[in-house]
Amino acid sequence: MGDTALVLGGGGLTGIGWEIGLLHGLARAGVDVTGADLVVGTSAGSVVGAQLTSGVLTLEELYRRQLASAKGEIPATMGPAMFARYAWGVLRSRDAKAYGVRMGRMASAVRTVGEEDRREVIAQRLLSHDWPEGPRLVVTAVDAATGELAAFDRDSGVGLVDAVSASCAVPGVWPPITIDGRRYIDGGVHSSANAALAAGYAKVLIVAPIALGGGPLPTPRAQAARLTAAGSKCVLITPSREARRTFGRNVLDPARRAPAARSGLAQAAAHVAEVRRLWQD
């Protein structure tokens, strides 16, 4: 096990843009965290994690990519009504697995685009379709039938495109993804960050576009507190008020990706000192 872990949470297309903007801003200030020994990616974070660890583009190039036209994306809406359905599901679930089962049923009942169409979108987002050989990348998803958290990596026997497609399978918006006969939905159904997977690492940076939790789903702040209590040094970064404004009301709107990326870049300056202390201590 290594020393450093970078946890990248879920948050739609705006989450992808904001995370890359933030990481680019940190690196531009002399704090590059992309060499972490472990990268945990959930939903939006799985896309960012796969892009970072591919080694194909620099952070500056990834940032410029966020500012370009979001070609190939399928427009979708994730507004107040959808969030209300999720919140109601949380209130009626005794634990994260029960919530996963509930969301899996909903995802299987809603008509969406086909799995292959969704895989194609994810494939074009990724810079490489192979798992990285260097840093350990872990991509999270949830078994739609059992609610169990799945953590895919290069030793799991699951292809990277399939793993990231499953991690981004937002219930009610995108189809569950079939892998080895089982169907999987968004890893954010278990937790918006799944920072518990970084347990045992000395230094953990959690970048979480969604700061909320509730009921059986712990907030990123609660997860950071548990890691700290277990002996890790943690820094948690969530969107500023200004950043949240740029996200708008639909985090899946391709048009909001570029403004979110710019807001992440602008917010980075406020976190340079604390991340430098964490990473270089």
Side-chain angles (χ1 to χ4, degrees):
M1 182 175 292
D3 185 52
T4 54
L6 173 62
V7 177
L8 301 167
L13 288 173
T14 59
I16 292 173
W18 177 77
E19 288 182 352
I20 288 177
L22 182 81
L23 295 174
H24 175 46
L26 290 173
R28 200 165 69 171
V31 187
D32 188 348
V33 299
T34 59
D37 300 303
L38 170 71
V39 178
V40 177
T42 292
S43 200
S46 71
V47 175
V48 176
Q51 291 178 340
L52 289 178
T53 57
S54 72
V56 175
L57 297 180
T58 65
L59 263 173
E60 182 174 359
E61 290 168 332
L62 286 174
Y63 176 71
R64 290 176 181 170
R65 198 171 187 240
Q66 297 307 299
L67 304 183
S69 174
K71 294 180 180 179
E73 294 291 343
I74 302 174
T77 300
M78 192 173 182
M82 183 63 69
F83 282 114
R85 292 183 71 178
Y86 290 168
W88 180 240
V90 167
L91 292 174
R92 298 181 64 191
S93 302
R94 65 183 182 278
D95 54 31
K97 286 198 291 186
Y99 179 62
V101 171
R102 191 178 299 277
M103 291 297 100
R105 288 173 182 163
M106 182 187 81
S108 299
V110 175
R111 178 175 294 182
T112 65
V113 300
E115 286 188 53
E116 289 308 313
D117 291 334
R118 182 58 179 161
R119 277 192 180 93
E120 186 174 333
V121 171
I122 298 300
Q124 64 89 22
R125 283 185 193 172
L126 303 185
L127 305 171
S128 170
H129 295 171
D130 298 320
W131 289 95
E133 292 296 329
R136 182 183 176 221
L137 173 65
V138 174
V139 171
T140 68
V142 169
D143 188 307
T146 67
E148 294 275 359
L149 178 67
F152 300 119
D153 62 13
R154 60 181 172 237
D155 298 323
S156 64
V158 173
L160 181 60
V161 174
D162 281 347
V164 176
S165 297
S167 190
C168 295
V170 181
V173 179
W174 305 122
I177 298 298
T178 304
I179 300 174
D180 294 334
R182 303 201 66 81
R183 306 189 83 197
Y184 293 90
I185 56 175
D186 198 304
V189 168
H190 186 269
S191 160
S192 64
N194 290 302
L197 293 174
Y201 283 77
K203 307 170 187 179
V204 183
L205 174 61
I206 305 171
V207 181
I210 298 177
L212 301 177
L217 307 183
T219 64
R221 188 167 301 282
Q223 295 173 63
R226 291 175 185 172
L227 289 171
T228 300
S232 299
K233 294 181 179 179
C234 292
V235 167
L236 167 66
I237 302 178
T238 58
S240 64
R241 181 177 299 176
E242 292 76 15
R244 292 197 300 274
R245 288 196 188 106
T246 68
F247 295 175
R249 295 186 176 183
N250 179 18
V251 299
L252 300 180
D253 182 357
R256 306 307 302 172
R257 190 181 72 178
R262 294 188 184 97
S263 71
L265 179 63
Q267 185 179 342
H271 303 283
V272 169
E274 62 177 340
V275 177
R276 179 179 285 118
R277 284 195 299 271
L278 172 71
W279 223 246
Q280 298 179 359
D281 183 7

